[in-house]
Amino acid sequence: MSDAEDPAFEQYWADALQPKWADKSESSQRRLDWWRDAKFGMFVHWDPSSLAASEISWSKQFSDDNGEQLLDNPRPSPDLHGIREHRFWLDWFKPAVPREVYDHLHKSFYPGMFDADKFVGAAKSAGMKYLIQVTKHHNGFCMWDTKFTDFNIMATPYHRDLVVAMAQACARAGIRYGIYYSQRDWHHPDYGPERMARYNEYMSRQVEELLVKCPNIEVIFFDCEQYYPWQLWDGKKLFQMIHRLRPKIIINDRCGVPADCTTPEQSIGEYNLERDWESCMTFTGFWSWHGFQAPVIPFEECLRHLVRCAGGGGNLLMNVGPLPTGQIDPREADRLQRMGAWLATNGESIYGTRGGPFPPGDYGVSTRQGDTVYVHVLKWPEAELMLPPLAGRVIASRVLSGGSAVVQQTDAGLKIFVAPSDRQDPDTIVVLQLQRP
Ligand code: GLC
C-alpha cells in the first residue's frame, strides 16, 4: 500500500484540517491527553546568536549599508503572495548584527558549561513536563549534526550535537521532548520563490533526520506565519512523512493547517474549551539571551501566566534564553526554581485539570478535575467575590494552602469569602467539592 492510500494518514490529515477538537476523530482527541495534563513546558531559544546578546535571527542585519537601515532591508521571503516578512519588527530587534558577523558567530560558539542533565533538571524541578528546543531558527543554523548542510553545530569548535544531547537528557529525566523547526530560512540558498520545491525537500529531509535521530520527539513546533498556506511547504507530503515515523506526534498550527493547537505568542490565550492552545511567553520580552541589562519578569508574573493558561484551557510554554556558555540565566533559573516549589504544594490545582467551569475574569480563573473545582483568586475584588451559578451543588470548601473558605450558593451564583489571613499572594486557591463531577 502506498502512503497515498494509507487510511490512517488520510484520517490524520483530515483531523489536521479541523480546528475544533470535537470535530476530530477519537484517536486524534486522545493523542493530546498527556499534553493537556502536562500544562507547563519549557521553550529553549538557544544557538550561536546568544554570543551577540541580540535577538535570535531577527538581529541579523541584511543591509550592506551603514548598519542602521534595517527597515529598508526585508528578509528573504518565499514571497509567493507578495508578502514581505515582518518589516515592522526589524526595528525592534536591536542591536543589529552585520551579516558578516552574524553568519560567523558559530565559529566562536563553545558552550563549555552546558550540561544537558543539569539543564533538563532545571525544567524538571520547575515542574515542567515537556521541553521544546529550537533546532533551527530563521537564521538557518542547525543545532544538530545534519547531513544536509554544513551550517550546523559540527562547524563550531564545540563540535557536539546539542539536539541529541538535550533529547537524551529529557529521556533520562522523564521529560517529554519536542523540537521547534523554522520553515523560514535566511541562510539556505534555495529558500525563496524560485527554488521552493528544492527547499521543501531539504526541510522534509531535515525533519525526517531529526525524527530518526531522536526517537523521543513527541512534539513539533513549526514556525511560519498563519497566512502562509500549507501548499507552500508541500504540507501534506511533509505531514505524511512525519506521520509515517511518528503517528502520535503533536504539531502546532504554524504549518498552514490548524493541526493540534494554536500558539498565542507573548500573550495568554483566550478561554477556549473547544480548541487546544499553548501560550509561549518570555522572561525578558525577547526569545534569545539579551544580556543582563534586559529585565526578567518576577516569579509572581510567571506564576500568573501559568494559572491563567490552565484556567483558560491552555498550556504555558515558558521560554528560556540560555547564555552562550550553555547555562540558563541565573535570574531565570531562580524563577523556575520558585515555580517548582509552588507547584510542589499546589500542583493538584494545575496538572491534569481542565479550564473552567467559571470563565476567567479580573478575579482570576478556575480549573477543575472530577468533582473538584479550584478557584484561583489572583486579585480579590473590593466587594465580595461573586461567581456565576454552578449546576452542581457545592458540598465542601477550603483553602488549598490551609484555612477556610465560606461559600454561599444561591440561584444568583456563588459568593466566596476567605479571611485576609488565609489568603495567599499571588494566588489564593479555593477548593470546591461538588456533589458530582
Ligand atoms: C515568532 C518569531 C520567533 C520565535 C517564535 C516563537 O514567530 O519569529 O522569533 O521563535 O515566534 O513562537
Side-chain angles (χ1 to χ4, degrees):
M1 184 169 61
S2 78
D3 275 349
E5 303 153 346
D6 178 356
F9 172 70
E10 291 305 327
Q11 180 60 63
Y12 178 80
W13 181 247
D15 286 333
L17 299 173
Q18 274 315 328
K20 256 197 179 161
W21 187 68
D23 296 339
K24 295 175 186 271
S25 67
E26 178 66 19
S27 66
S28 171
Q29 296 181 18
R30 293 282 74 82
R31 200 155 41 82
L32 270 80
D33 282 348
W34 74 260
W35 182 92
R36 281 192 199 113
D37 290 348
K39 290 282 171 274
F40 191 26
M42 179 184 271
F43 213 178
V44 183
H45 273 71
W46 182 45
D47 77 4
S49 65
S50 54
L51 282 164
S54 192
E55 187 60 2
I56 190 165
S57 305
W58 295 99
S59 65
K60 175 169 160 180
Q61 165 72 273
F62 277 81
S63 61
D64 297 321
D65 57 23
N66 65 10
E68 292 296 331
Q69 295 303 321
L70 280 169
L71 290 174
D72 293 327
N73 293 278
R75 271 49 182 159
S77 147
D79 209 21
L80 297 186
H81 332 270
I83 293 162
R84 300 224 139 169
E85 306 208 31
H86 279 336
R87 296 179 61 155
F88 66 96
W89 274 37
L90 307 184
D91 205 28
W92 189 40
F93 294 121
K94 295 267 176 80
V97 184
R99 114 199 275 172
E100 316 78 67
V101 174
Y102 193 101
D103 282 346
H104 296 275
L105 286 171
H106 65 282
K107 294 181 184 162
S108 306
F109 189 55
Y110 189 84
M113 312 283 268
F114 178 69
D115 176 332
D117 291 309
K118 219 168 145 189
F119 198 105
V120 171
K124 188 170 182 160
S125 54
M128 291 160 155
K129 303 294 185 194
Y130 61 106
L131 182 152
I132 312 283
Q133 178 185 12
V134 168
T135 58
K136 183 193 84 161
H137 205 259
H138 314 331
N139 60 41
F141 183 80
C142 301
M143 290 288 275
W144 77 101
D145 179 7
T146 172
K147 341 192 247 277
F148 303 106
T149 174
D150 294 337
F151 195 47
N152 80 60
I153 195 71
M154 301 317 268
T156 69
Y158 191 67
H159 220 260
R160 266 165 275 170
D161 188 318
L162 283 170
V163 172
V164 169
M166 197 80 98
Q168 290 181 348
C170 283
R172 281 193 291 275
I175 296 287
R176 309 240 190 190
Y177 179 72
I179 54 169
Y180 163 108
Y181 184 97
S182 164
Q183 295 96 315
R184 276 196 193 107
D185 193 316
W186 299 331
H187 187 268
H188 198 280
D190 291 334
Y191 181 77
E194 295 89 31
R195 293 183 295 271
M196 208 55 195
R198 275 176 52 169
Y199 176 75
N200 284 337
E201 188 62 27
Y202 167 77
M203 172 162 81
S204 168
R205 287 187 173 193
Q206 282 209 315
V207 174
E208 182 175 24
E209 184 182 48
L210 284 162
L211 291 170
V212 170
K213 260 181 189 277
C214 309
N216 60 327
I217 293 174
E218 296 188 68
V219 180
I220 303 182
F221 192 116
F222 280 115
D223 193 12
C224 76
E225 298 309 310
Q226 314 89 312
Y227 43 68
Y228 288 162
W230 59 265
Q231 287 83 353
L232 181 61
W233 315 114
D234 213 347
K236 190 170 178 189
K237 223 169 119 195
L238 182 64
F239 271 54
Q240 194 161 33
M241 177 278 292
I242 295 168
H243 181 259
R244 182 166 43 77
L245 291 171
R246 209 59 49 81
K248 295 218 167 106
I249 199 95
I250 295 174
I251 301 183
N252 69 349
D253 63 341
R254 299 196 191 174
C255 202
V257 288
D260 295 314
C261 61
T262 50
T263 48
E265 178 176 314
Q266 308 270 31
S267 71
I268 304 297
E270 290 193 0
Y271 184 60
N272 192 339
L273 306 179
E274 303 199 309
R275 172 84 171 129
D276 288 295
W277 58 265
E278 175 190 65
S279 278
C280 44
M281 304 296 286
T282 58
F283 276 115
T284 59
F286 295 100
W287 295 103
S288 59
W289 195 58
H290 259 250
F292 288 113
Q293 84 291 347
V296 168
I297 59 166
F299 153 72
E300 289 78 7
E301 199 171 331
C302 184
L303 179 62
R304 279 192 288 266
H305 288 344
L306 176 63
V307 170
R308 289 204 174 276
C309 284
N315 281 9
L316 171 63
L317 188 61
M318 194 68 207
N319 182 70
V320 296
L323 273 58
T325 55
Q327 294 157 297
I328 295 180
D329 182 312
R331 301 166 303 165
E332 297 181 356
D334 164 75
R335 311 305 187 258
L336 293 174
Q337 185 250 319
R338 293 173 69 185
M339 290 296 286
W342 186 88
L343 280 161
T345 45
N346 300 291
E348 63 163 278
S349 69
I350 301 288
Y351 301 125
T353 64
R354 298 294 178 262
F358 306 110
D362 278 345
Y363 74 96
V365 299
S366 62
T367 55
R368 67 197 147 92
Q369 187 165 32
D371 55 7
T372 308
V373 172
Y374 302 92
V375 181
H376 295 261
V377 188
L378 299 171
K379 194 172 139 210
W380 286 93
E382 298 231 344
E384 67 225 359
L385 174 58
M386 180 76 175
L387 295 172
L390 196 63
R393 207 164 72 80
V394 178
I395 53 171
S397 60
R398 66 192 165 92
V399 176
L400 185 60
S401 56
S404 52
V406 178
V407 174
Q408 287 173 5
Q409 187 169 23
T410 62
D411 290 348
L414 228 61
K415 258 188 214 167
I416 301 183
F417 306 89
V418 172
S421 56
D422 286 342
R423 296 179 186 177
Q424 294 286 319
D425 198 34
D427 183 14
T428 307
I429 305 168
V430 177
V431 187
L432 307 177
Q433 207 60 51
L434 304 190
Q435 202 162 30
R436 54 189 158 74

